[in-house]
């Protein structure tokens, strides 16, 4: 497996990873409205913007893209791994690469952790420094942890 910078020809594969993961994992933690919110947020346009900024990468090997990660300055904005590859070190590998890149310019990484990711981040040394939420339709609420780690 190798973590490489994403290019525009990978946008469909990244879209598939994001939406497959959200639709499979998020309903175990959140309401349908929250999962739908994340799917809308991760549109193809949003993905192409991340690729164009040079801040999005993919974990790939043997012609398969397993996962994706993205950052903006010192903020990790997303880490997603296909459900069938979760628990095999893919998310940790992506995090290693994101933290190394962020560490070139910053001494701290920050992220907004969805409920499914909190344990991964805690195991990596991230500490919760706050809580956030968005009000969504049908009185649904997206809750998340604001976390940081000194690199």
């Amino acid at each position: 497996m190798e973590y490489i910078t994403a290019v525009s020809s990978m946008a469909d594969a990244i879209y598939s990873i994001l939406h497959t993961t959200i639709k499979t994992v998020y309903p175990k933690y959140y309401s349908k409205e929250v999962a739908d919110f994340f799917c809308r947020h991760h549109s193809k346009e949003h993905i192409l913007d991340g690729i164009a900024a040079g801040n999005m990468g993919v974990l790939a090997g043997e012609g398969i893209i397993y996962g994706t990660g993205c950052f903006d300055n010192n903020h990790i904005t997303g880490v997603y791994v296909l459900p069938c590859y979760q628990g095999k070190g893919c998310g940790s590998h992506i995090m290693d690469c994101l933290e190394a890149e962020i560490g070139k310019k910053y001494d701290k990484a920050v992220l907004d952790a969805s409920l499914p990711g909190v344990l991964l981040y805690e195991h990596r040394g991230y500490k919760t420094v706050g809580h956030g939420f968005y009000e969504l339709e049908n009185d649904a609420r997206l809750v998340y942890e604001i976390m940081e780690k000194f690199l």
Side-chain angles (χ1 to χ4, degrees):
M1 285 186 287
E2 182 181 17
Y3 189 76
I4 57 174
T5 301
V7 296
S8 60
S9 62
M10 297 173 176
D12 287 340
I14 294 169
Y15 180 89
S16 179
I17 290 166
L18 293 168
H19 286 250
T20 298
T21 303
I22 291 164
K23 290 175 183 176
T24 303
V25 176
Y26 280 46
K28 298 173 185 176
Y29 297 84
Y30 291 117
S31 67
K32 178 183 181 321
E33 289 84 1
V34 173
D36 291 347
F37 167 83
F38 274 104
C39 284
R40 285 191 307 273
H41 175 70
H42 291 294
S43 66
K44 288 206 179 156
E45 294 79 20
H46 179 76
I47 293 164
L48 288 168
D49 287 346
I51 292 170
N55 297 338
M56 184 173 278
V58 296
L59 186 63
E62 301 176 16
I64 299 169
I65 297 176
Y66 305 100
T68 186
C70 194
F71 69 99
D72 183 22
N73 295 312
N74 71 328
H75 186 200
I76 296 172
T77 58
V79 175
Y80 289 86
V81 174
L82 284 171
C84 60
Y85 293 100
Q86 291 178 5
K88 300 174 192 260
C90 294
S92 291
H93 187 75
I94 292 170
M95 288 294 295
D96 289 342
C97 295
L98 293 172
E99 290 172 357
E101 193 62 32
I102 290 168
K104 293 176 183 177
K105 295 182 182 178
Y106 302 93
D107 65 350
K108 177 173 62 174
V110 296
L111 54 82
D112 299 332
S114 62
L115 297 178
V118 169
L119 289 178
L120 167 69
Y121 303 129
E122 284 180 348
H123 287 285
R124 295 190 58 83
Y126 284 81
K127 303 292 183 203
T128 298
V129 296
H131 307 280
F133 71 92
Y134 287 118
E135 295 287 344
L136 302 173
E137 66 270 6
N138 298 326
D139 294 325
R141 188 178 270 198
L142 162 59
V143 296
Y144 59 92
E145 303 293 307
I146 302 164
M147 304 182 84
E148 65 180 31
K149 174 184 175 181
F150 287 93
L151 303 174

